[in-house]
Amino acid sequence: MRAQPNCAEEALAETVRRLARPGFESALWAWFQRAVAPDNLIVLAYRDGVAPQVLFRHSAHGSPVFGQLDSTYLGGAYLLDPYHALHLARVPAGLYRLSDIAPDAFQRSRYFNDYYRQTTLVDELAFVAYPAPGVTLNLCLGRDGQSRRAFEARAIETCQRISPVVIALAEGHWSGLAAAGVPPEAVPRTLRARLAEAGIRLTPRQADVALLILQGHSSASIALELGVSPQTVKVFRRQLYARCGLSSQAELFGLLMPLLSAPREPEQDGLRFREQAALLSG
């Protein structure tokens, strides 16, 4: 019998043939196109304490979805991303939808409004896989401003059904990735150290609250994350804003995001952070 045209299984077979060989990523994209018709695909490797590694990216229509990926997301905004939080939590391998895992105030966060909104993403699904110890793979399928539609229930069901296959292929193809970086607990410590260079000293709890605010957590959600009362979180928030001389989340984002960006020369860092603090407090 002749194969049916546009058959997703035929595209899957080609992906299997390309496993651990050149052309695997393109074959994987072709399979996803046949199966669920995403607008874009990006494959990211997360490791503790360092920026994600982009293993593959493709947009079906040349949309602006990756326009600020290198400069903003990889420059430090990834630390606020819900999918990066999955890496830190070492969640089970499987399929995750952004709308299901995002913090309760995600769409009101500065990260969402200053970065995520400009990607034009309408919906996002990610297959989470673990090809090597200390490495998390995210294969993110997106629907963006090109199609202007979320993934249909049937597409999500298809992704759930093929998830074990996608994970097995990804873990096989990228099994040679090595772990690197530093423990995730170092992020708040680094933030505190860099703020100290600007003359702003935070307690460990205040640094934790600052990161959770930027990630899009409400006070109630922060309380659950830290195991304290919402009233205690409000106290931490007031102390944080007072220490930094700020009055809004937008100002907090503007102060802290440069400090979360890629490492620079220490002398340049200290000068830039002091200038930023003086600007916001002036």
Coordinates of all heavy atoms in Angstrom, one line a residue, residues 195-247:
L195 N 24.2 43.6 44.4 CA 23.5 44.8 45.0 C 24.3 45.4 46.1 O 24.4 46.7 46.2 CB 22.1 44.3 45.6 CG 21.0 44.2 44.7 CD1 19.8 43.5 45.4 CD2 20.5 45.6 44.1
A196 N 25.1 44.6 46.8 CA 26.0 45.2 47.8 C 27.0 46.1 47.2 O 27.4 47.1 47.8 CB 26.6 44.1 48.6
E197 N 27.5 45.7 46.0 CA 28.4 46.6 45.3 C 27.8 47.9 45.0 O 28.6 48.9 44.9 CB 28.9 45.9 44.0 CG 29.7 44.6 44.2 CD 30.1 44.0 42.9 OE1 29.9 44.7 41.8 OE2 30.6 42.9 42.9
A198 N 26.5 48.0 44.9 CA 25.8 49.2 44.6 C 25.4 49.9 45.9 O 24.7 50.9 45.8 CB 24.6 49.0 43.7
G199 N 25.8 49.4 47.0 CA 25.5 50.0 48.3 C 24.1 49.6 48.8 O 23.6 50.2 49.8
I200 N 23.5 48.5 48.3 CA 22.2 48.0 48.7 C 22.3 46.6 49.3 O 22.8 45.7 48.6 CB 21.2 48.0 47.5 CG1 21.0 49.3 46.9 CG2 19.8 47.4 48.0 CD1 20.2 49.3 45.6
R201 N 22.0 46.5 50.6 CA 22.2 45.2 51.2 C 20.8 44.5 51.5 O 20.0 45.2 52.2 CB 23.0 45.3 52.5 CG 24.4 45.9 52.2 CD 25.3 45.9 53.4 NE 26.6 46.4 53.1 CZ 27.6 45.7 52.5 NH1 27.4 44.4 52.2 NH2 28.8 46.3 52.2
L202 N 20.7 43.3 51.0 CA 19.4 42.6 51.3 C 19.7 41.4 52.1 O 20.8 40.8 52.1 CB 18.8 42.1 49.9 CG 18.4 43.1 48.9 CD1 17.7 42.4 47.7 CD2 17.4 44.1 49.5
T203 N 18.7 40.9 52.9 CA 18.8 39.7 53.6 C 18.5 38.5 52.6 O 17.9 38.8 51.5 CB 17.7 39.6 54.7 OG1 16.4 39.6 54.2 CG2 17.9 40.8 55.7
P204 N 18.8 37.3 53.0 CA 18.5 36.2 52.0 C 17.1 36.1 51.7 O 16.7 35.8 50.5 CB 19.0 35.0 52.8 CG 20.1 35.5 53.7 CD 19.7 36.8 54.1
R205 N 16.2 36.3 52.7 CA 14.7 36.2 52.4 C 14.3 37.3 51.5 O 13.5 37.1 50.6 CB 14.0 36.3 53.7 CG 13.6 35.0 54.4 CD 12.6 34.3 53.5 NE 12.1 33.1 54.2 CZ 12.3 31.8 53.8 NH1 13.1 31.6 52.8 NH2 11.7 30.8 54.4
Q206 N 14.8 38.5 51.7 CA 14.5 39.6 50.8 C 14.9 39.4 49.3 O 14.2 39.7 48.4 CB 15.1 40.9 51.3 CG 14.5 41.5 52.6 CD 15.3 42.5 53.2 OE1 16.4 42.8 52.8 NE2 14.8 43.1 54.3
A207 N 16.0 38.7 49.2 CA 16.5 38.4 47.8 C 15.6 37.3 47.2 O 15.2 37.4 46.0 CB 17.9 37.9 47.8
D208 N 15.2 36.3 48.0 CA 14.2 35.3 47.5 C 12.9 35.9 47.1 O 12.4 35.6 46.0 CB 14.0 34.3 48.6 CG 15.2 33.4 48.9 OD1 16.0 33.3 48.1 OD2 15.2 32.8 50.1
V209 N 12.4 36.9 47.9 CA 11.2 37.5 47.6 C 11.3 38.3 46.3 O 10.4 38.3 45.4 CB 10.7 38.4 48.7 CG1 9.5 39.3 48.3 CG2 10.3 37.6 49.9
A210 N 12.4 39.0 46.1 CA 12.6 39.8 44.9 C 12.6 39.0 43.6 O 11.9 39.3 42.7 CB 14.0 40.5 45.0
L211 N 13.2 37.8 43.7 CA 13.2 36.9 42.5 C 11.8 36.4 42.2 O 11.3 36.3 41.1 CB 14.2 35.8 42.7 CG 15.7 36.1 42.6 CD1 16.5 34.9 42.9 CD2 16.0 36.6 41.2
L212 N 11.1 36.0 43.3 CA 9.7 35.5 43.1 C 8.8 36.5 42.6 O 7.9 36.3 41.8 CB 9.2 34.9 44.5 CG 9.9 33.6 44.9 CD1 9.6 33.3 46.3 CD2 9.5 32.5 44.0
I213 N 8.9 37.8 43.0 CA 8.1 38.9 42.5 C 8.3 39.0 41.0 O 7.4 39.1 40.2 CB 8.5 40.2 43.2 CG1 8.0 40.2 44.7 CG2 7.8 41.4 42.5 CD1 8.4 41.4 45.5
L214 N 9.6 39.0 40.6 CA 9.9 39.2 39.2 C 9.4 38.0 38.3 O 9.2 38.1 37.2 CB 11.4 39.4 39.0 CG 12.0 40.7 39.6 CD1 13.5 40.8 39.3 CD2 11.3 41.9 39.1
Q215 N 9.4 36.8 39.0 CA 8.9 35.6 38.2 C 7.4 35.7 38.0 O 6.9 34.9 37.2 CB 9.3 34.4 39.0 CG 10.8 34.1 38.9 CD 11.2 33.0 39.9 OE1 10.4 32.5 40.7 NE2 12.5 32.7 39.9
G216 N 6.7 36.5 38.8 CA 5.2 36.7 38.6 C 4.4 36.0 39.7 O 3.2 35.7 39.4
H217 N 5.0 35.9 40.8 CA 4.2 35.3 42.0 C 3.5 36.4 42.7 O 4.1 37.5 43.0 CB 5.1 34.6 42.9 CG 5.7 33.3 42.4 ND1 5.0 32.1 42.6 CD2 6.8 33.0 41.6 CE1 5.7 31.1 42.0 NE2 6.8 31.7 41.4
S218 N 2.3 36.2 43.1 CA 1.6 37.1 44.0 C 2.1 36.9 45.4 O 2.8 36.0 45.7 CB 0.1 36.9 44.0 OG -0.2 35.6 44.5
S219 N 1.7 37.8 46.4 CA 2.1 37.6 47.8 C 1.6 36.3 48.3 O 2.4 35.6 49.1 CB 1.6 38.8 48.6 OG 2.2 40.0 48.3
A220 N 0.4 35.9 48.0 CA -0.1 34.6 48.4 C 0.7 33.4 47.9 O 1.0 32.5 48.6 CB -1.6 34.4 48.0
S221 N 1.1 33.5 46.6 CA 1.9 32.5 46.0 C 3.3 32.4 46.6 O 3.9 31.4 46.9 CB 2.0 32.7 44.5 OG 2.8 31.7 43.9
I222 N 3.9 33.6 46.9 CA 5.2 33.7 47.5 C 5.2 33.0 48.9 O 6.1 32.3 49.3 CB 5.7 35.1 47.6 CG1 6.0 35.7 46.2 CG2 7.0 35.2 48.4 CD1 6.3 37.2 46.2
A223 N 4.1 33.3 49.6 CA 4.0 32.7 50.9 C 4.0 31.2 50.9 O 4.6 30.5 51.7 CB 2.6 33.2 51.6
L224 N 3.3 30.6 49.9 CA 3.3 29.2 49.7 C 4.7 28.7 49.4 O 5.2 27.6 49.9 CB 2.3 28.8 48.6 CG 0.8 28.9 49.0 CD1 0.0 28.6 47.8 CD2 0.5 28.0 50.2
E225 N 5.4 29.4 48.5 CA 6.8 29.0 48.1 C 7.7 29.0 49.2 O 8.6 28.1 49.4 CB 7.3 29.9 47.0 CG 6.6 29.8 45.6 CD 7.1 28.5 44.9 OE1 8.2 28.2 45.0 OE2 6.2 28.0 44.1
L226 N 7.6 30.0 50.1 CA 8.6 30.2 51.2 C 8.1 29.5 52.5 O 8.9 29.5 53.5 CB 8.9 31.6 51.4 CG 9.5 32.4 50.2 CD1 9.8 33.8 50.6 CD2 10.8 31.7 49.7
G227 N 6.9 29.1 52.6 CA 6.4 28.5 53.8 C 6.2 29.5 54.9 O 6.4 29.2 56.1
V228 N 5.7 30.7 54.5 CA 5.5 31.8 55.5 C 4.1 32.3 55.3 O 3.4 31.9 54.3 CB 6.5 32.9 55.5 CG1 7.9 32.4 55.8 CG2 6.5 33.6 54.1
S229 N 3.6 33.2 56.1 CA 2.3 33.8 56.0 C 2.3 34.9 54.9 O 3.3 35.6 54.7 CB 1.8 34.4 57.3 OG 2.5 35.5 57.6
P230 N 1.2 35.2 54.3 CA 1.1 36.3 53.3 C 1.4 37.6 54.0 O 2.0 38.5 53.4 CB -0.4 36.3 52.9 CG -0.8 34.8 53.0 CD -0.1 34.4 54.3
Q231 N 1.1 37.8 55.2 CA 1.4 39.0 55.9 C 2.9 39.2 56.1 O 3.5 40.3 55.9 CB 0.7 39.1 57.3 CG 0.9 40.4 58.0 CD 0.3 41.5 57.3 OE1 -0.8 41.4 56.7 NE2 0.9 42.7 57.3
T232 N 3.6 38.1 56.3 CA 5.1 38.1 56.4 C 5.7 38.5 55.1 O 6.6 39.3 55.0 CB 5.6 36.8 56.9 OG1 5.1 36.5 58.2 CG2 7.1 36.8 57.0
V233 N 5.1 38.0 54.0 CA 5.6 38.4 52.7 C 5.4 39.8 52.4 O 6.3 40.5 51.9 CB 4.9 37.5 51.6 CG1 5.2 38.0 50.2 CG2 5.2 36.1 51.7
K234 N 4.3 40.4 52.8 CA 4.1 41.8 52.7 C 5.1 42.7 53.4 O 5.6 43.7 52.9 CB 2.7 42.2 53.1 CG 1.6 41.6 52.2 CD 0.2 42.0 52.7 CE -0.9 41.4 51.9 NZ -2.3 41.8 52.4
V235 N 5.5 42.2 54.6 CA 6.6 42.8 55.3 C 7.9 42.8 54.6 O 8.6 43.8 54.4 CB 6.7 42.2 56.7 CG1 8.0 42.8 57.4 CG2 5.5 42.4 57.6
F236 N 8.2 41.6 54.0 CA 9.4 41.5 53.2 C 9.4 42.4 52.0 O 10.4 43.0 51.6 CB 9.6 40.0 52.8 CG 10.1 39.1 53.9 CD1 9.5 37.8 54.0 CD2 11.2 39.4 54.7 CE1 10.0 37.0 55.0 CE2 11.6 38.6 55.7 CZ 11.0 37.4 55.8
R237 N 8.3 42.5 51.4 CA 8.1 43.3 50.2 C 8.4 44.8 50.5 O 9.1 45.5 49.8 CB 6.8 43.2 49.5 CG 6.5 41.9 48.9 CD 5.1 41.8 48.2 NE 5.1 42.6 47.0 CZ 4.7 42.2 45.8 NH1 4.2 40.9 45.7 NH2 4.6 42.9 44.8
R238 N 7.8 45.3 51.6 CA 8.0 46.6 52.1 C 9.5 46.9 52.4 O 10.1 47.9 52.0 CB 7.1 47.0 53.3 CG 5.7 47.1 52.9 CD 4.9 47.8 54.1 NE 5.0 47.1 55.3 CZ 4.0 46.2 55.7 NH1 3.0 45.9 54.9 NH2 4.1 45.6 56.8
Q239 N 10.1 45.9 53.1 CA 11.5 46.1 53.4 C 12.4 46.1 52.2 O 13.3 46.9 52.1 CB 11.9 44.9 54.3 CG 11.3 44.9 55.7 CD 11.6 43.7 56.5 OE1 12.1 42.7 55.9 NE2 11.4 43.7 57.8
L240 N 12.0 45.2 51.2 CA 12.8 45.1 50.0 C 12.7 46.5 49.2 O 13.8 47.0 48.8 CB 12.2 44.0 49.1 CG 12.7 43.9 47.6 CD1 14.2 43.6 47.6 CD2 11.9 42.9 46.9
Y241 N 11.5 47.0 49.0 CA 11.4 48.2 48.3 C 12.1 49.4 49.0 O 12.7 50.3 48.4 CB 9.9 48.5 48.1 CG 9.2 47.8 46.9 CD1 9.4 46.4 46.8 CD2 8.5 48.4 46.0 CE1 8.8 45.7 45.8 CE2 7.9 47.7 44.9 CZ 8.1 46.4 44.8 OH 7.5 45.7 43.8
A242 N 12.0 49.4 50.3 CA 12.6 50.5 51.1 C 14.2 50.4 51.0 O 14.8 51.4 50.8 CB 12.2 50.4 52.6
R243 N 14.7 49.2 51.1 CA 16.2 49.0 51.0 C 16.7 49.4 49.6 O 17.8 50.0 49.5 CB 16.5 47.5 51.1 CG 16.4 47.0 52.5 CD 17.6 47.3 53.4 NE 17.4 46.8 54.8 CZ 17.9 45.6 55.1 NH1 18.6 44.9 54.3 NH2 17.8 45.2 56.4
C244 N 15.9 49.2 48.6 CA 16.3 49.5 47.2 C 15.9 50.9 46.8 O 16.3 51.4 45.7 CB 15.7 48.5 46.2 SG 16.3 46.8 46.4
G245 N 15.1 51.6 47.6 CA 14.7 52.9 47.3 C 13.7 52.9 46.1 O 13.7 53.9 45.3
L246 N 12.8 51.9 46.0 CA 11.9 51.8 44.9 C 10.4 51.9 45.4 O 10.2 51.8 46.6 CB 12.1 50.4 44.2 CG 13.6 50.1 43.8 CD1 13.6 48.7 43.3 CD2 14.1 51.1 42.8
S247 N 9.5 52.1 44.4 CA 8.1 52.1 44.7 C 7.2 51.3 43.9 O 6.0 51.3 44.0 CB 7.7 53.6 44.6 OG 7.8 54.1 43.3

